[in-house]
Amino acid sequence: MRIERDSFGEIAVAEEVYWGAQTQRSLENFKIGEGKMPIAVIYGLAEVKAACAKVSWQLGRLDEARAKAIIGAAEEITNGKLDDNFPLRVYQTGSGTQSNMNVNEVIAHRANELLGEDLVHPNDHVNRSQSSNDTFPTAMHLAAYKAIREGVLPELGAMIEVLEQLVEQNTEYIKIGRTHLQDATPISFAQEISGWLGMMQANYRQLSESVSELLGLAIGGTAVGTGLNAPEGFGELVAKELAEKIGYPFYSAANKFHALSSKDALVYVHGALKSLAANAMKFANDVRWLASGPRSGLGEITIPANEPGSSIMPGKINPTQAEALTMVAVTVMGNDAAIGIAASQGNFELNVFMPVIIDKFLESATLLSAGLESFRLHCVSGIRANPERMAENLERSLMLVTALAPEIGYELAAKAAKYAHEHKLSLLQACLELQLVSEEEFKKFVRPEEMI
């Protein structure tokens, strides 16, 4: 052990770690849950520290040696070399101060190691012109934006490509449509797939448009939004540096009081993730309904058999990928409620639910991108039509009578459908027995291929 010091006094810290006194105090005081601060947030904080050090150097507020050492240590963090040095839980101070200090201390310790002497202080140098109140929300936006741009959107694009291919491959199959889980009028299987495709395309558009709300950064606001202890233009210069380094058009938020106290951008973007979760739920449920059976269900499609489905029933195969994706969807919907409530809290100049907001946001983005990828690779790409069952269900459907309504009227058409159902007849047989149309007329009017 070694002895570290902060404004509270001395505390023992393990010799082999890079963190210092404030991290150690948090580690001992907040043993709540098992979830650690997401590493994407830690990387975001490290990117902020590097950018701030570079700007402070440019402005003459930090010497070259310290600045380069801070930048070097921060880059080691973003490269994943120091991941074991960030042990703090999500459930800590609502401003994320302790994780901000965790990063400050690790960078300071490693920077001094690089320099060969103790020149870098976690507060005075690594945190110069900053507050946890502006660095943490800035890191939140960096992490959230990347999670959407580099995770969810690429996977949505891949899913769209697979569905486009399925539409092209299934234009010849006509099946019965269903509303309220009851037989409706005919539809082509390609049209049904196009509904799934349209959902994914809408989600891609919604996320692409909403994610731009995350580009505005709180950096430069320091403690309460006034920019106290930061030079004029500091936030703008840091945002520009981050944009150039990361490759996305980040900018300094115009109103820092809003940027520190409100998390509405994250609520807004997560709303698009919730929309995706809702569509994913519907998509997965459609697939498992259509694949149900294989002999006593709808059985209109087959999906890949990936693993045994039962520990007691030999040969049973279950729609496990659909089940996994629907569980993801439920989690995202729950996360949306947590994020919305958390964003409504906090008082005056600061939201104090930030760690849980970003934890839930990143969980949603990660689960959706991984869940959709798994569903695409192990289920959707292997969907195949069962034309024989589609034709059988289509022929037995009573709602084909809809095509007769313009010829014999709604009331008589309904009478024919009810009569067929009650007497277990085909629609043709019912119409003939009721003398509503001739067989020739029936075949002329009831043509499923013309009803789609």
Side-chain angles (χ1 to χ4, degrees):
M1 304 294 286
R2 69 177 191 274
I3 299 300
E4 288 284 337
R5 297 169 181 81
D6 61 8
S7 59
F8 263 45
E10 295 183 343
I11 190 170
V13 178
E15 182 65 41
E16 69 272 12
V17 300
Y18 283 111
W19 68 73
Q22 292 198 45
T23 302
Q24 188 65 33
R25 294 190 196 283
S26 178
L27 188 60
E28 294 177 5
N29 289 333
F30 294 96
K31 298 177 181 179
I32 305 172
E34 297 181 359
K36 295 180 181 180
M37 185 63 65
I39 197 66
V41 177
I42 299 300
Y43 292 168
L45 283 166
E47 287 170 328
V48 170
K49 302 301 171 180
C52 287
K54 185 173 182 179
V55 170
S56 291
W57 174 21
Q58 292 170 345
L59 295 176
R61 295 175 65 88
L62 192 64
D63 63 89
E64 181 179 358
R66 287 187 174 93
K68 285 186 174 181
I70 290 170
I71 293 168
E75 288 179 348
E76 287 187 6
I77 292 174
T78 57
N79 289 333
K81 294 181 178 180
L82 302 175
D83 286 0
D84 291 342
N85 286 274
F86 304 100
L88 301 187
R89 308 293 212 278
V90 169
Y91 298 94
Q92 53 169 276
T93 176
S95 61
T97 296
Q98 285 140 3
S99 283
N100 180 54
M101 284 307 304
N102 185 187
V103 173
N104 287 338
E105 289 176 343
V106 170
I107 288 176
H109 195 143
R110 178 59 180 146
N112 287 329
E113 199 172 64
L114 293 171
L115 290 167
E117 54 182 323
D118 289 343
L119 294 177
V120 178
H121 188 277
N123 296 85
D124 295 338
H125 304 116
V126 186
N127 203 62
R128 176 159 291 184
S129 301
Q130 305 155 53
S131 163
S132 301
N133 298 351
D134 66 349
T135 61
F136 197 84
T138 298
M140 290 169 70
H141 278 215
L142 299 184
Y145 190 88
K146 286 182 180 182
I148 301 298
R149 279 287 175 205
E150 299 173 11
V152 183
L153 285 174
E155 182 46 46
L156 266 176
M159 181 68 83
I160 287 168
E161 288 182 11
V162 170
L163 290 171
E164 287 173 339
Q165 294 168 7
L166 283 176
V167 168
E168 294 176 3
Q169 295 165 4
N170 289 280
T171 55
E172 63 184 289
Y173 305 122
I174 300 173
K175 61 186 293 292
I176 196 65
R178 296 179 178 87
T179 58
H180 306 273
L181 290 180
Q182 305 296 305
D183 298 346
T185 56
I187 187 174
S188 76
F189 187 36
Q191 288 172 327
E192 191 163 50
I193 297 169
S194 77
W196 304 334
L197 171 61
M199 291 191 302
M200 297 298 103
Q201 290 171 328
N203 290 137
Y204 191 96
R205 183 178 65 254
Q206 291 160 3
L207 275 168
S208 297
E209 292 171 355
S210 65
V211 74
S212 62
E213 294 290 322
L214 297 172
L215 292 171
L217 303 180
I219 195 68
T222 65
V224 295
T226 61
L228 179 68
N229 289 354
E232 185 177 352
F234 183 77
E236 287 75 13
L237 290 171
V238 173
K240 181 180 179 182
E241 173 64 24
L242 286 168
E244 291 175 357
K245 181 73 182 297
I246 299 172
Y248 295 122
F250 294 110
Y251 61 90
S252 178
N255 188 323
K256 296 298 192 298
F257 307 104
H258 170 231
L260 267 62
S261 63
S262 172
K263 302 301 125 197
D264 52 6
L266 288 152
V267 174
Y268 185 59
V269 181
H270 197 273
L273 289 178
K274 183 176 72 171
S275 174
L276 173 56
N279 279 342
M281 176 75 81
K282 195 270 184 193
F283 183 9
N285 279 338
D286 281 356
V287 168
R288 60 178 167 183
W289 270 106
L290 291 173
S292 62
R295 295 189 176 183
S296 299
L298 298 181
E300 291 185 348
I301 66 172
T302 60
I303 57 177
N306 297 314
E307 68 277 313
S310 173
S311 62
I312 189 174
M313 293 174 280
K316 193 173 191 295
I317 304 297
N318 295 328
T320 51
Q321 290 295 322
E323 292 167 3
L325 186 58
T326 54
M327 287 190 284
V328 165
V330 167
T331 301
V332 173
M333 293 174 192
N335 285 348
D336 192 72
I339 288 171
I341 294 169
S344 73
Q345 302 301 306
N347 306 105
F348 306 116
E349 278 64 62
L350 186 68
N351 177 282
V352 290
F353 286 73
M354 289 191 286
V356 76
I357 289 173
I358 192 59
D359 181 59
K360 297 302 182 187
F361 187 103
L362 293 176
E363 181 186 39
S364 292
T366 301
L367 285 176
L368 279 170
S369 57
L372 286 169
E373 180 183 31
S374 185
F375 191 55
R376 171 178 58 85
L377 291 175
H378 303 298
C379 183
V380 178
S381 60
I383 289 175
R384 298 293 180 266
N386 183 349
E388 293 80 13
R389 189 57 178 267
M390 288 181 178
E392 177 187 352
N393 289 339
L394 180 65
E395 184 179 343
R396 295 173 58 223
S397 172
L398 300 177
M399 289 303 99
L400 295 178
V401 77
T402 307
L404 284 177
E407 310 301 327
I408 64 175
Y410 184 93
E411 298 296 337
L412 288 177
K415 181 179 180 180
K418 291 179 181 178
Y419 188 86
H421 182 61
E422 290 170 0
H423 294 82
K424 294 182 172 55
L425 301 173
S426 69
L427 271 178
L428 173 59
Q429 291 171 321
C431 287
L432 293 177
E433 288 192 14
L434 293 172
Q435 297 183 344
L436 297 176
V437 292
S438 66
E439 183 174 350
E440 183 180 352
E441 289 173 324
F442 184 92
K443 291 181 178 179
K444 176 184 177 182
F445 299 135
V446 183
R447 301 179 65 182
E449 69 274 9
E450 294 185 0
M451 296 173 70
I452 62 171

